[in-house]
Amino acid sequence: MTWNDAATPARLALAALATGVLALLTACTSPSAQREAQDLLAQGRPAEALSRLKRAADADSRSAEGRLAWQKLRVGVVEGLLAHAQGERRNGAFDSADQLYRQALNIEPGNEPAILGLKATERERIWSGLLQQASAQIQRKNPDAARTALRAVLAESPHHPDALRLQKQIEALDVRPSQDAMLGTAYRKAVSLEFKEAPLKTVFEVLAKTAGLNFVFDKDVRTDQKVSLFLRNSTVEAAVARLLVSNQLAQRVLDANSVLIYPDTPAKQKDYQPLTVRSYYLANGEAKSVANSVKTILKVKDVVVDERLNVMIVRDSIDAVRLVDRMVALLDLPEPEVMLEVEVLEVKRSELLNLGVRWPDQVSFTPLSKSAGGQVTLRELRNLNGAAIGVTVSPLTASARRDDAVTNILANPKIRAKSREKARILIGDRVPNITTTSNSTGFVSDSVTYLDVGLKLEVEPTVFADNQIALKLALEVSSIVNQVQNKSGTLAFQIGTRSAATVLRLRDGENQVLAGLINDEDRRSASKIPLLGSAPLLGKLFGAGNDETVKTEIVLSITPRLLRNVERPDAGLLEFESGTEAGLRSRGDGPAGSPELTPSGTGASPAPQSAAPSPIEARLVAAPAPASDADVRWDAPASTRAGQIVSVGVVVDSRKPIVGIPLALGFDPKLFEVVEVKEGDFLARGGARTYFEHRIDPSGQVLVTARREDIEGVAGSGQVLSVAFRALAAAAAVPVRLLTVALEGGKLSAVTATPPAPLMIEVRP
């Protein structure tokens, strides 16, 4: 793809910016350089256009102005490429985004947003494949496999919106795994019920016969109380939930076939409600702050914080722990960070003109003594004559001198700062200042303090949700003007200071130039003969003048680049049900994630099965699993010996073209040691170039990314990789698991895969 393949908004904005900055360069570049640069930009060759303008700016003597204008143009071009690449990433065009990021790096090597963008694109490629695999497993009603595919995404990006959306779908499939899932399909049977003023015990007996369950009642449950229940096209679980909430009852699953029913009172909850302990190792938020939020909003029973490990431990019911999970996902977010690119330019211009004739302005007469080195006596003073008087005349000096000097002092630091945290930059010296103190006893002591002299910049960024950055900025430029010495000989320093403080609000990548810190000094002195020295034209022959002009200007250019903003979850994840004032569990529609929807998740109610007239109608709901596009299998021996090396291969049989295969293998590091990881020949067929990268985690994982450089892909059967393990000890069966596998189809198509069962290898002594 070339830079000007499509008239994207980012490219049009870049062209407008480039045209405006080219107009600024008129004063410091030649017309031919401008025309060539405009032609190159029109052809989609920004790097060459910038190179041409850079050469023209460097050749100009006014390098300070040219450098600032050139810098602004380069920033504009790089911003346009980064914006275009960001849009391509959002659209899933990862290859195009990679090319745009590399173009930005060619123009500005070391550009951190471009480097981070390349890394993010590679991660999102892997995540895209994992999300496709998770979605396919959800369609097959296989929540365990879908959860395994999502684990790698959520481990690196806990707030990925697509991953969280799929996680909600998994929760809808795998309802209440700690308790309700124990009941299997019994709770998911479809029923229709009509009871009016019937005893509670009778209703539960009907449900028990329909679902094949055992309901056990606490001694304090009134089984003879009258209930009315009318449900159409519902489920056993929903019927039980509505009976419980309407009669102030609660349940506890005892085993796969038995449910305990007890009064929903605080005393009975203490006796029957199971509690769960869960630890949250926070990566970004402070455990103490998160714990306060959890206590305030969810009223959790027991919360313990370990500030040393930044971990929060919660003990409460299963429903409460699930709500804590959601709260932690919203609060444990990385803080926004900004890269501040600062350029400080101090331009100092000085002119000195010393022109004219300095005539003698003093004549001194001195009496001379006849004795060598002696003093003049009164007799000699009375007899003074021309031979006894010495005369001293100041010299006659002619001056014709002119000095011009231009000094550029440039500092170009880059500093990374968190939002609402101050960043400080000092470029200069720390000058010692000695203070002498004495007391009444005559004891004298010296103390040393240090003064910061030079360029001091203090910036406090504040990142907003709309990717704008507020900068609270304070700039101070100081220098030693004079040294002052007191009577005791101690030196003190006179410091000259220029400072500016302001608050800016800029967009990500917007450049702001602060100028006007000008120090203008004009000194004029003259020595001339009265009257004659003031005459026009001829006055320079009867006097000398010294004219000195010093002008110093400081220009600050600052560009904030947003490295990371708050990753806000989707709007649907920002709001969730938290039960009632009496309890955290959802009381109106059954347990959280109640499976009243059909397995397809469409919300359509199942039609009742035709049967004999009866108030109760039940049927099992099932959907055939769709066939996968590819199969993944092992290629390994069934046994080996301790100390020997065994090769484990992963083979793919695909009926669709594949371009990339990110996967993760899991093994027991106490029994197996990775010796070598080799790329297979599956993706390289047809002579295509491939990219293969692997990483070995000491905890017992091999993380692999394999990819073809083309977008067509390859189908068929072949080995993706092989891992050589050394068996460390004898064991009856050593498992090797395929933790995650994602197949990326050609031309960004989706490919579903069937992961293999764990590989069991016998290690003989």
Side-chain angles (χ1 to χ4, degrees), residues 291-300:
N292 290 335
S293 301
V294 168
K295 289 179 182 178
T296 303
I297 301 297
L298 301 180
K299 308 295 190 297
V300 178

Side-chain angles (χ1 to χ4, degrees), residues 3 7-21 76-77 79-81 83:
W3 185 53
T8 62
R11 187 170 65 83
L12 293 176
L14 174 59
L17 177 61
T19 303
V21 179
V77 172
E79 286 177 3
L81 292 172

Side-chain angles (χ1 to χ4, degrees), residues 189 241 330 355 499 501 688:
K189 286 187 177 181
L330 294 175
L355 180 64
S499 62

Side-chain angles (χ1 to χ4, degrees), residues 42-121:
Q43 297 171 16
R45 297 155 64 185
E48 298 179 28
L50 288 168
S51 177
R52 180 67 185 92
L53 288 175
K54 182 66 165 57
R55 292 196 303 271
D58 291 342
D60 193 88
S61 59
R62 291 170 292 182
S63 58
E65 292 82 354
R67 178 181 176 84
L68 289 176
W70 141 255
Q71 180 73 12
K72 190 169 183 179
L73 176 61
R74 186 179 67 168
V75 168
V77 172
V78 172
E79 286 177 3
L81 292 172
L82 294 177
H84 193 182
Q86 186 72 14
E88 295 294 284
R89 273 179 54 198
R90 285 195 295 266
N91 295 332
F94 300 123
D95 293 337
S96 176
D98 279 347
Q99 292 180 8
L100 292 168
Y101 282 129
R102 290 191 176 94
Q103 286 186 34
L105 286 175
N106 290 335
I107 296 172
E108 186 179 339
N111 182 277
E112 189 154 354
I115 296 173
L116 294 176
L118 285 173
K119 294 179 180 179
T121 303

